[in-house]
Amino acid sequence: NLKKTNRMNEKFQKIYNLTYSQKKYNEAILAIENDCTQKNNDISAIEAFCLFETKQYDKAAELYKKINLPFQEGFCYLMMGNISKAKEIWNKTPDSSAVLWGQTVIGIIESKINHFPTYFQIRNYLESTLSYLFEAKRYDYIEKLISAKEFLAEFNIESYRIIGKVLLEYNWFNLSKQYLEKSVGELPQDYEAYYLLGLWYYQNNEPKKAKYFLRRCVDINDYYSAASKLIDKINEID
């Protein structure tokens, strides 16, 4: 029994590492299919996450439903563009921070806001929601969310920087710059916004302006190593 338990623990650790450390989601799915004849909820949750990350949203939704994770199940349907199904799931789910955020997102998309987001909901979920919508190519939803910038900023002024960061990551350069400039205007001590603006200029081949904003970042927080490293990298090129 002890050997069997140890083998099970080793298999779980392998699958866990493939998923969260190495981000090899397809390999993790194969390992689960080959090594886990009996799946507990922990394994099923990892499998559902891997299916979601590989954009197999329908299969992920089925598995999330089976293990009673309604926020994740509804989020899968949102990625599939099935707002009515996501709404149906979340409306019959007990309120939680994640579910209320999901309902807020749907309200913004449908221009029928019934829930106001909290500061921490925006901090915890806005970036990942936008990133996943980009991965799912739900550009109509993205445009709705970012057009609600003033509304979101009423509850968390960091919304401008969060939106700008995601837009930069997905190469929406023109819009990204607008949001990052708005962010430093609203929060002049937000060192991360200065870093992101520096990164924007670096990626757009303007090293002098990049260094200006990166130095502003370091002036505010000299422990922000990403900015210091990028300054060093620009100096090597120059």
Side-chain angles (χ1 to χ4, degrees):
N1 284 338
L2 183 59
K3 286 183 179 178
K4 184 178 179 181
T5 301
N6 286 338
R7 282 198 301 272
M8 288 173 63
N9 287 338
E10 286 173 8
K11 288 176 181 177
F12 179 83
Q13 193 62 51
K14 173 189 172 185
I15 291 162
Y16 187 93
N17 289 338
L18 281 170
T19 302
Y20 298 111
S21 300
Q22 301 173 40
K23 302 187 188 304
K24 295 180 178 178
Y25 304 117
N26 285 315
E27 287 186 32
I29 292 168
L30 281 174
I32 291 168
E33 290 174 353
N34 294 333
D35 297 340
C36 301
T37 51
Q38 292 183 322
K39 300 175 190 174
N40 59 28
N41 279 2
D42 289 336
I43 290 290
S44 293
I46 292 174
E47 184 179 13
F49 176 76
C50 290
L51 289 167
F52 181 88
E53 290 290 335
T54 53
K55 303 181 181 62
Q56 300 179 67
Y57 303 121
D58 51 346
K59 292 180 181 179
E62 289 176 17
L63 199 45
Y64 278 130
K65 181 178 182 179
K66 186 177 178 182
I67 58 178
N68 193 29
L69 290 174
F71 170 70
Q72 290 87 338
E73 181 192 357
F75 203 71
C76 291
Y77 284 104
L78 184 65
M79 296 302 108
M80 288 189 277
N82 191 341
I83 283 185
S84 59
K85 184 66 175 177
K87 195 191 301 186
E88 176 192 325
I89 292 164
W90 287 337
N91 282 346
K92 63 184 182 184
T93 301
D95 287 348
S96 68
S97 179
V99 166
L100 288 171
W101 168 253
Q103 291 173 331
T104 300
V105 169
I106 287 177
I108 291 171
I109 292 169
E110 294 188 326
S111 302
K112 297 175 184 175
I113 295 170
N114 297 314
H115 298 278
F116 292 151
T118 67
Y119 174 89
F120 286 107
Q121 283 170 355
I122 291 170
R123 171 172 276 191
N124 293 338
Y125 303 119
L126 178 57
E127 182 177 342
S128 61
T129 299
L130 283 169
S131 295
Y132 281 127
L133 288 171
F134 265 108
E135 292 297 324
K137 296 181 170 57
R138 293 288 161 199
Y139 302 120
D140 49 344
Y141 296 175
I142 292 166
E143 288 172 1
K144 284 277 191 176
L145 261 183
I146 64 178
S147 70
K149 53 190 178 294
E150 287 94 352
F151 169 75
L152 294 168
E154 285 182 27
F155 303 94
N156 187 335
I157 197 67
E158 295 173 2
S159 297
Y160 294 113
R161 187 240 300 145
I162 293 169
I163 294 170
K165 180 183 180 182
V166 178
L167 294 176
L168 179 60
E169 287 173 354
Y170 286 90
N171 301 321
W172 284 29
F173 288 117
N174 291 338
L175 268 182
S176 172
K177 186 182 180 187
Q178 292 175 31
Y179 283 94
L180 295 174
E181 287 176 339
K182 180 71 173 176
S183 180
V184 297
E186 295 288 336
L187 284 173
Q189 294 301 307
D190 187 347
Y191 56 86
E192 188 178 356
Y194 285 108
Y195 166 74
L196 291 167
L197 259 178
L199 182 61
W200 189 97
Y201 280 108
Y202 171 74
Q203 291 181 351
N204 285 275
N205 300 312
E206 295 190 55
K208 288 184 180 178
K209 288 184 178 178
K211 282 201 287 188
Y212 168 79
F213 285 104
L214 293 168
R215 284 172 180 150
R216 291 289 303 274
C217 170
V218 174
D219 286 343
I220 299 167
N221 182 355
D222 58 2
Y223 293 104
Y224 202 77
S225 60
S228 302
K229 287 177 181 176
L230 190 50
I231 290 170
D232 291 341
K233 188 173 182 180
I234 293 170
N235 287 334
E236 286 175 12
I237 296 168
D238 284 352

